[in-house]
Amino acid sequence: MQEVLLDLISIFSNISIVLASIGLIIATSSFISGLQLVKAASRIEGRIHKFNGIATIAIYAVLFILSIVDHGFRLWPIIGWLSGLSIVLLKLKIVRGRKKRARKYISWMGACLVLIWLYIVYIHIPL
Amino acid sequence: MMIKKAVLALTLLVAFAFDAYGAELFVPDHHSTIQEALDQAAPGDTVTVKPGSYSENIVIKRPVTLRSANGPASTAINAAKKDEPVISINDATGVSIEGLSATGSEVAGIRLTRSSGVSLKGNQTTENLYGIALYDSSDNKIESNTADLNENYGIYLEKSHRNTVVKNSASSNGDRGIFISASDSNTVIGNTANLNTWNGIVLWSAKGNIIRGNKTLRNTYGLVLTESSGNTVDENTSLPNVFIILPILLIYLGILLYLVQKYALKFLYRS
């Protein structure tokens, strides 16, 4: 147990993993509030979802910039980051749009974003 | 007569003592190139390379020690001819190479052919086709070397038996970290083979090897055994506990954050 705790503490040795962890925490909260919003419109859930959404996009952007600063312009990482960003933008477009058929898939897209954050955490854990 | 014998015995003793330790040759102080120093060295001698960048392809056939004065970070040997290894050890026994950097070969950083009793310690073999390659070479020790960022394999053993490969780094290679091919009874302990494009450690047609306590993280496949039998594979790590515990912990914290935000906002609106 002590060994696992020490491992967990030693992981947070760089800024990227700290930011990625915060991103996953906020994305989880955002996902739950989003699910509540799909069930029924609520002012509180709406506020939580909006605040968390903006915060995760900001952290995502900082991590993207840090990745370029650390590793330079490499094709596959940039394609990966831009793909994640395109999913975020697509979700925003559907949320703001009025197509009811597209809205059916909004929960799935939210789950997709949580999975993206899980991958971001995994990839940033120092070896 | 007794005094003469005593003087003779003392002289012989001193001569043998010097012979046992061997001479030390310095590059570039005594010799302008490393190969020149090695050609001049007698068995048991040490060639010490001072910090700098050297462009050579070195061939060693005698039991000598080749080492750097200040470690691999400041002593780099670049392949003069790219189609040859940077350092070749051919048909030799008892060679020792310590703390050198070997880069830029389209063959290998350090290549052993039909050699035994060789010690490779604390070397850095990066940006070659293979980092360290052994062919028909047995009973050698490869310890604490860095064989990262090579085009194909970090450490490659072919038809090489009873070698000890410990505490090396074979990461970020274009194909595999450590590849043991048709080689038996080798001991591979405490190595790190992370971030290789394909596999961390591969055993192909290999028997009776001990693969223990190695780290193979974020490869396409961590540890691969093909057509191999009788190998001992234990205590290796491909996915540490923390990789599973951390995301679960963070998701729990996310749920907690949601509840905190919800009740905080409820409290705010009410008041």
Side-chain angles (χ1 to χ4, degrees):
Chain A
M1 186 65 189
Q2 200 179 350
E3 201 176 307
V4 173
L5 272 173
L6 282 173
D7 273 356
L8 276 173
I9 293 163
S10 66
I11 273 179
F12 296 106
S13 56
N14 67 52
I15 188 74
S16 298
I17 183 65
V18 175
L19 284 174
S21 301
I22 294 169
L24 179 58
I25 292 169
I26 300 174
T28 307
S29 175
S30 178
F31 178 56
I32 299 167
S33 56
L35 286 178
Q36 298 297 323
L37 271 178
V38 170
K39 278 203 295 187
S42 152
R43 197 169 150 200
I44 290 174
E45 305 290 352
R47 286 273 167 105
I48 294 172
H49 194 64
K50 194 172 182 183
F51 170 78
N52 288 341
I54 292 166
T56 48
I57 290 171
I59 294 171
Y60 190 92
V62 173
L63 282 171
F64 183 15
I65 292 163
L66 280 176
S67 162
I68 291 170
V69 170
D70 289 346
H71 306 290
F73 281 94
R74 283 159 61 195
L75 183 68
W76 285 111
I78 286 176
I79 287 174
W81 285 109
L82 291 179
S83 305
L85 201 63
S86 67
I87 292 173
V88 174
L89 295 175
L90 185 65
K91 187 173 173 286
L92 276 175
K93 193 176 181 315
I94 294 171
V95 169
R96 293 186 176 193
R98 286 178 185 172
K99 283 183 182 172
K100 280 195 174 177
R101 279 178 69 192
R103 283 195 167 216
K104 276 200 305 188
Y105 303 103
I106 211 91
S107 318
W108 289 103
M109 294 202 75
C112 207
L113 288 176
V114 172
L115 288 178
I116 287 172
W117 276 103
L118 274 170
Y119 182 71
I120 291 173
V121 167
Y122 168 76
I123 212 78
H124 281 94
I125 294 175
L127 299 177
Chain B
M1 190 65 184
M2 281 292 282
I3 294 167
K4 269 187 181 174
K5 274 185 179 173
V7 168
L8 184 68
L10 198 68
T11 313
L12 282 171
L13 195 71
V14 169
F16 275 120
F18 268 103
D19 197 33
Y21 282 111
E24 190 167 10
L25 294 85
F26 289 91
V27 179
D29 300 354
H30 299 161
H31 302 276
S32 57
T33 65
I34 300 167
Q35 188 62 56
E36 191 188 301
L38 286 165
D39 291 342
Q40 297 288 315
D45 285 356
T46 300
V47 173
T48 302
V49 185
K50 294 272 181 78
S53 184
Y54 302 84
S55 184
E56 290 186 55
N57 295 92
I58 293 158
V59 181
I60 302 173
K61 291 180 178 176
R62 278 178 227 156
V64 292
T65 298
L66 174 64
R67 66 183 186 94
S68 70
N70 277 19
S74 58
T75 316
I77 309 171
N78 301 302
K81 293 176 193 163
K82 296 211 177 294
D83 57 347
E84 286 178 21
V86 183
I87 301 172
S88 303
I89 302 168
N90 302 331
D91 304 292
T93 54
V95 176
S96 178
I97 299 179
E98 290 171 29
L100 286 165
S101 168
T103 58
S105 167
E106 287 167 5
V107 182
I110 301 175
R111 186 178 74 180
L112 274 69
T113 313
R114 294 178 300 278
S115 297
S116 62
V118 174
S119 166
L120 306 178
K121 193 174 179 184
N123 300 289
Q124 202 171 303
T125 54
T126 54
E127 292 169 23
N128 304 286
L129 186 72
Y130 298 171
I132 296 170
L134 275 70
Y135 299 93
D136 296 302
S137 297
S138 301
D139 303 299
N140 303 291
K141 191 168 188 185
I142 303 165
E143 188 183 359
S144 306
N145 300 284
T146 303
D148 298 347
L149 297 161
N150 294 289
E151 208 179 312
N152 275 10
Y153 312 141
I155 297 171
Y156 178 62
L157 274 69
E158 186 181 299
K159 293 178 188 166
S160 299
H161 315 296
R162 300 177 304 280
N163 297 288
T164 306
V165 182
V166 287
K167 293 179 185 169
N168 299 285
S169 168
S171 299
S172 305
N173 293 290
D175 199 330
R176 295 166 171 118
I178 299 172
F179 190 178
I180 295 165
S181 169
S183 301
D184 306 332
S185 307
N186 296 288
T187 305
V188 182
I189 296 178
N191 299 283
T192 303
N194 301 334
L195 296 161
N196 295 290
T197 304
W198 281 108
N199 311 319
I201 299 174
V202 186
L203 270 73
W204 188 81
S205 190
K207 289 172 193 159
N209 297 286
I210 298 169
I211 314 294
R212 181 173 293 147
N214 301 287
K215 258 190 184 180
T216 55
L217 312 179
R218 285 197 204 135
N219 304 286
T220 306
Y221 300 102
L223 195 55
V224 179
L225 276 78
T226 311
E227 295 175 34
S228 299
S229 60
N231 298 290
T232 306
V233 181
D234 55 13
E235 296 170 29
N236 300 290
T237 313
S238 286
L239 189 69
N241 292 336
V242 81
F243 276 60
I244 300 161
I245 293 168
L246 182 69
I248 293 170
L249 187 74
L250 294 175
I251 286 173
Y252 268 114
L253 287 175
I255 296 166
L256 209 64
L257 176 71
Y258 166 71
L259 292 172
V260 169
Q261 285 177 324
K262 188 176 175 178
Y263 287 109
L265 280 178
K266 263 187 184 175
F267 178 74
L268 268 176
Y269 282 126
R270 211 178 287 162
S271 61

